[in-house]
Amino acid sequence: MAGICTPKPKTASYAVFWGIRWLSAQPFTRMLQVSRRGTAMPMSPYRKLTPYADAAKQRGVGVYHLNIGQPDIETPPAALAAVQQARIGVLEYSPTAGLPSYRTKLAAYYQRAGMPVEAEDILVTAGGSEAIFFALMSCLNPGDELIVPEPFYGAYTAFAVATDVRIVPVTSHIENGYALPPIAEFESRITPRTKALLVCNPNNPTGYVYSRQELEQLLDLCRRHHLYLLSDEAYREFCYDGNYVSALHLPGAAEHVVVLDTISKRYSACGARIGAFVTKNKALQAVAFKFAQMRVSPPGLAQLLGEAATELPDSYFDLAKAEYLARRNRMVERLRAIPGVYCPTPGGAFYIMASLPIADAEHFALWLLEEFQHDGHTVMISPATGFYATPGAGRNEVRLAYVINQAAIDGAMDCLAEALRQYPGRIGA
């Protein structure tokens, strides 16, 4: 058949002609698409309304920010000075696990808090967020289940999506101050895919402080079912109605407990992005170290700040704690004076969860920024639905952060009281 030119079929996507298959000349159509993981990633419950707050400010409206845990307390000058005065010729990578001097001093800080932590138990991370990410990547496989009491820190949902982990919620309730639900409810959620429990203590967003007895019950459950207990302890210093108990204070914690930590709230240094993944489980620490190698090293300059902060006197925390306590008391007092508002008194951290006389906190929060002002100001809040995994839960609840001074808290509460009086969707209006 040499010399014979055989034409391509034109009418099918492919055809067989004399035993030869040709692809159609018609072009294959492909569309750019983002990942399913990206589509499933939720917006931050405390940042997603930021464009509306920015628009309000451009209209000349002052905004009281109660939506996010950004303290206004001064970052310790001695910690900042350690960075400002550092004599650095080349800003090199630090070791993957963090600077040895910082890990040593951080271990001493934990020891002063009664936690049996050595430098080799610490992996320095880029904020508490990276510590959470390392924990989920190291303790759970794709498709595994993580039991969490809700409401919980909103970013947990995002980390679960990023790591293909399923959050299984156990609901706590505002009526009893968001106390830990009965341990039987946790046990009833355990399946063959369950690998860990995650608690935040003191809790964000509720401010609830878990007692030693409650933590012992959780650890006992984890030991009996061979689970990890992940303990997010970002607000350790800020407990107002009793002593703080770390999961690492408990007997038998060594193999099961991972403490997730950060200096962001402790030293009002959110922008430093320095945290810690802390466990005495050597095999788990070795696995987390491999994930840490992926990002090479934690921030170098910020570790200098963190190291200097470990040497601050205890009086630093006394003053900060007293200020937050006064702010908590003021906000609780003002909220309870507003008709239809209910809030428990939080025992720690710097957040208050409140139920409002409205049907939809998302709509109310948007209305505050788009349509309302009082004496030239409005208030930005976090709707609570973003802190629940159960669909529809928390629709009339909000999280408020008492991270602004008491005069500003009074102004914000004036706005909130007037807003609830004017709001067209107020229940019982």
Side-chain angles (χ1 to χ4, degrees), residues 67-131:
N67 61 298
I68 192 168
Q70 172 56 66
D72 69 349
I73 290 177
E74 183 183 42
T75 305
L80 292 173
V83 179
Q84 294 162 346
Q85 299 171 11
R87 299 177 63 84
I88 299 173
V90 177
L91 188 58
E92 300 177 338
Y93 292 124
S94 72
T96 293
L99 294 170
S101 58
Y102 178 43
R103 294 167 71 203
T104 298
K105 291 181 180 179
L106 188 56
Y109 155 81
Y110 288 125
Q111 291 163 14
R112 291 194 297 272
M115 301 163 66
V117 175
E118 304 296 334
E120 60 266 25
D121 302 327
I122 300 170
L123 178 63
V124 180
T125 60
S129 297
E130 190 174 68

Side-chain angles (χ1 to χ4, degrees), residues 122 172 231 261 379 428:
I122 300 170
S172 59
S231 185
D261 207 358
V379 61

Side-chain angles (χ1 to χ4, degrees), residues 61-62 64 372-378 411 414-416 418-419 422:
V61 179
Y64 293 111
F372 172 79
Q373 61 173 291
H374 173 64
D375 291 340
H377 287 78
T378 190
D414 289 343
C415 279
L416 185 61
E418 181 61 22
Q422 295 185 23

